[in-house]
Amino acid sequence: FMNQNLQNKIKNLIQENDVVLFMKGTPEMPMCGFSAAVVNILNILEVKFIGINILEDEELRQGIKEYSDWPTIPQLYVNKEFIGGCDIVQEMYKSGELQELFSSK
């Protein structure tokens, strides 16, 4: 089970930033194709976001999966809400839902 400190750390990151991407690598240098794909979409939409590199923190890597109850990385949070992983972000982008989500901010 996740310890309280880790849970608070994740919660704070999500609450203090409008858009948070838990990813492998950094926005400048993604370390996996799925993370890169989500970064790419956010950049196309010119969304300001912070990227959290879970490769630097094994505890966080496991913790975020538990926190969101989602098994894979990357994970996108917008306005404190879990949006999903790469597939979901791509689907939402194609359908225009993602653009709406960001334009309503």
Side-chain angles (χ1 to χ4, degrees):
F1 257 96
M2 200 181 345
N3 68 46
Q4 200 56 51
N5 285 350
L6 183 60
Q7 197 163 359
N8 289 342
K9 180 178 171 180
I10 292 172
K11 204 174 182 169
N12 288 341
L13 284 167
I14 292 167
Q15 286 182 335
E16 287 163 15
N17 301 280
D18 288 343
V19 185
V20 185
L21 181 63
F22 292 89
M23 61 180 293
K24 294 179 178 172
T26 62
E28 299 72 35
M29 195 173 284
M31 302 299 279
C32 89
F34 299 113
S35 291
V38 176
V39 166
N40 204 15
I41 288 172
L42 293 174
N43 287 339
I44 290 169
L45 297 179
E46 295 180 355
V47 172
K48 202 167 144 302
F49 71 100
I50 67 160
I52 307 295
N53 184 1
I54 54 96
L55 295 177
E56 287 176 349
D57 188 336
E58 186 54 40
E59 199 183 35
L60 184 62
R61 184 182 192 161
Q62 291 313 316
I64 189 61
K65 294 176 185 180
E66 238 174 89
Y67 186 90
S68 58
D69 202 18
W70 189 261
T72 55
I73 306 289
Q75 295 187 10
L76 182 66
Y77 281 81
V78 178
N79 300 331
K80 305 173 195 37
E81 204 181 318
F82 177 55
I83 303 300
C86 183
D87 293 356
I88 292 170
V89 171
Q90 285 177 323
E91 284 303 306
M92 288 177 71
Y93 176 64
K94 284 185 194 126
S95 72
E97 261 181 281
L98 201 63
Q99 291 84 327
E100 271 170 48
L101 181 71
F102 289 121
S103 64
S104 67
K105 282 210 318 180

